[in-house]
Amino acid sequence: MSKQQRDAIDGVLRAEPFDLSQSTAEHRKSFEAFAPRPYPADVVAADVALGGVGAIELTVAGHAADPTVLYFHGGGYIAGSARTGTHLAAELARRAGGRALSVGYRLAPEHPYPAAVEDGLAAYAGLLKSSVSPSRVLVAGDSAGGGLAVATLLAAREQGLPQPAAVAVFSPWADISRSGASMRTKDRADPLFSYVVMGWYAGRYMPRRRPVRPAGQPGLRHAGRPSPAADPGRLP
């Protein structure tokens, strides 16, 4: 993508700022509209289950079922689906020379933290139980899915499960607390995801809770349950 194309997209996104008053259903509908359709002609998709968690298996013509890409879609933990992650997952499978599995983990606010991590761990464990060697697995994800990929493997480590051969995350949302300095110093640099907007997502994924240790690490706990803040961009 050229700089001119990036600038054009940036301008379009800034012209329609994120609507903090929208409902979860409205956001999910608009998010799903961005999912490319149809699949490439050489990709076959099939509904499967991994450890009781729904997923879409993507096989590329001429490629074996090994290695395996386990993919977690983006969407701020409240939007997206296994379907919205399939095109990125399929292209990773194509480049890896194997297949991909796009995981349909549960979404907030109906299923807040730690539901997504529980599903990620169940899917990863289910994949290993299917006789797939961890040395032939790539765990990947974008945005919230990138954060979930990391959280899943931290949880897997805590459970004593072997780690995969590699992890690939694209613009991962790895800090739900938004505590990094760049959240303030680079606020508004992205046309969509400002500090306040990220708080809109975080407040739904982890309502009234503030993590004090990374998900998946021993001793994970939460600090207090203060009253929700008036600022919609502040994680209560």
Side-chain angles (χ1 to χ4, degrees):
M1 182 182 294
S2 68
K3 183 179 185 303
Q4 183 178 11
Q5 289 172 319
R6 291 199 305 270
D7 289 345
I9 293 174
D10 184 278
V12 170
L13 293 175
R14 290 184 189 278
E16 297 184 14
F18 192 94
D19 182 5
L20 294 169
S21 67
Q22 68 184 305
S23 68
T24 300
E26 290 171 333
H27 182 59
R28 287 174 179 167
K29 182 178 180 180
S30 61
F31 193 93
E32 288 282 344
F34 282 101
R37 292 177 174 81
Y39 293 115
D42 62 344
V43 174
V44 175
D47 292 334
V48 297
L50 291 171
V53 180
I56 297 177
E57 181 181 48
L58 302 148
T59 54
V60 182
H63 290 204
D66 175 65
T68 299
V69 176
L70 186 67
Y71 199 84
F72 297 105
H73 67 82
Y77 295 106
I78 72 166
S81 64
R83 176 66 180 80
T84 63
T86 53
H87 280 260
L88 279 171
E91 288 308 309
L92 283 176
R94 186 190 305 282
R95 286 160 174 74
R99 62 168 178 161
L101 292 155
S102 181
V103 181
Y105 56 89
R106 287 173 292 171
L107 300 176
E110 298 92 337
H111 304 285
Y113 173 87
V117 181
E118 292 171 345
D119 287 357
L121 178 61
Y124 180 64
L127 179 62
L128 299 186
K129 287 180 180 178
S130 69
S131 299
V132 173
S133 170
S135 67
R136 301 294 290 170
V137 174
L138 163 67
V139 176
D142 67 281
S143 193
L148 181 56
V150 174
T152 292
L153 295 181
L154 286 171
R157 183 180 67 182
E158 184 178 355
Q159 294 294 316
L161 295 176
Q163 295 292 289
V167 182
V169 292
F170 307 95
S171 300
W173 186 19
D175 181 9
I176 302 299
S177 71
R178 302 172 297 156
S179 59
S182 62
M183 286 298 304
R184 295 293 193 180
T185 60
K186 293 186 177 296
D187 195 22
R188 304 292 181 183
D190 188 281
L192 285 179
F193 300 116
S194 67
Y195 182 84
V196 170
V197 169
M198 296 307 290
W200 185 89
Y201 285 103
R204 285 156 178 76
Y205 176 57
M206 193 170 285
R208 297 192 173 201
R209 303 187 193 183
R210 184 179 300 280
V212 294
R213 289 181 183 168
Q217 287 192 359
L220 175 67
R221 59 188 178 84
H222 297 88
R225 287 178 174 268
S227 301
D231 175 5
R234 180 180 175 185
L235 178 62

